[in-house]
Amino acid sequence: MSKPPRFDPESVQGFLAREEGEALARHVRALDVSGPVLEIGSWCGRSSVWLGQAARETGRIVYALDHHRGSEEHQPGEGYHDPAHFDGELGRVDTLPAFRRSIALAGLEQTVIALVGPSAIIGANWATPLAMVFIDGGHAMDTALADYRAWAGQVARGGILAIHDVFPDPADGGRPPYEIWKLAVASGLFEPLERINSLEFLRRL
């Protein structure tokens, strides 16, 4: 009996390019430190599936952290607002149902575990060293800084910190992810490893 076709992460709504998703998966497979993987900013689960497929192969767990209320650009009247993810009764964005559906369709419910809530609060109460942290949450400066401050220090020595939407040239995109990437490099705790499009990888020293 043949295996069912592998679920394609690109079938999930999102903004991560295939080569970026494949790079995330490759780094998960190459991890040589113990601990789970954590992503900040799951949206509908596109990156979660790439991470989860690689984690399942290597016996790891992925924690997918998102408040599921959307970033600034997803709110009504903004450029990336999608009415399909808007709860009219509450007057709020809600992407959790779409995320759960993606993870179920990908067969990853035992591998990708949703953490629903504010990143800074969950990070302040976190105690498990992480093999990899992927930051792709809100791109406002205070949000990006809060994600970095809450989670960069949770990466185990030899582990990976990945940051999406890092644009050195302001003409290409927003500054906050680039600013936290600079903080990571300047901290002396991380060394740059690789850049795929706007996705930066660093190793914890």
Side-chain angles (χ1 to χ4, degrees):
M1 185 176 179
S2 61
K3 291 183 179 180
R6 185 179 177 87
F7 184 82
D8 185 359
E10 282 198 312
S11 67
V12 179
Q13 184 180 1
F15 310 98
L16 195 73
R18 176 170 289 277
E19 55 268 32
E20 295 171 332
E22 290 175 345
L24 286 172
R26 172 166 48 82
H27 278 278
V28 170
R29 294 187 187 101
L31 288 168
D32 59 3
V33 296
S34 60
V37 172
L38 183 135
E39 72 163 347
I40 304 158
S42 304
W43 188 233
C44 295
R46 188 182 181 109
S47 57
S48 314
V49 172
W50 259 301
L51 291 166
Q53 288 174 340
R56 181 172 55 190
E57 293 171 17
T58 55
R60 293 183 192 269
I61 293 293
V62 175
Y63 290 103
L65 170 56
D66 199 308
H67 48 57
H68 288 286
R69 295 305 187 190
S71 300
E72 296 80 4
E73 65 270 20
H74 301 133
Q75 303 309 313
E78 299 300 324
Y80 289 100
H81 177 66
D82 185 340
H85 303 309
F86 189 73
D87 185 322
E89 184 177 359
L90 291 178
R92 294 181 179 183
V93 171
D94 185 2
T95 57
L96 183 57
F99 169 84
R100 290 182 60 116
R101 184 173 190 276
S102 299
I103 299 308
L105 288 172
L108 292 170
E109 290 179 300
Q110 302 303 311
T111 301
V112 178
I113 310 302
L115 296 176
V116 182
S119 170
I121 294 174
I122 294 174
N125 291 276
W126 191 265
T128 302
L130 296 163
M132 180 171 170
V133 169
F134 173 42
I135 298 179
D136 191 21
H139 290 0
M141 194 68 224
D142 58 346
T143 306
L145 274 174
D147 288 340
Y148 174 78
R149 289 169 176 163
W151 295 103
Q154 312 276 11
V155 180
R157 290 183 181 179
I160 299 295
L161 174 64
I163 305 173
H164 194 220
D165 292 329
V166 176
F167 296 110
D169 186 343
D172 295 329
R175 304 299 287 169
Y178 176 60
E179 295 299 329
I180 65 170
W181 175 83
K182 288 198 302 180
L183 285 176
V185 174
S187 72
L189 297 175
F190 296 92
E191 62 175 352
L193 284 181
E194 180 181 23
R195 178 181 176 89
I196 304 292
N197 295 348
S198 69
L199 176 57
E200 289 276 3
F201 291 92
L202 307 100
R203 186 183 304 281
R204 175 70 188 264
L205 300 173

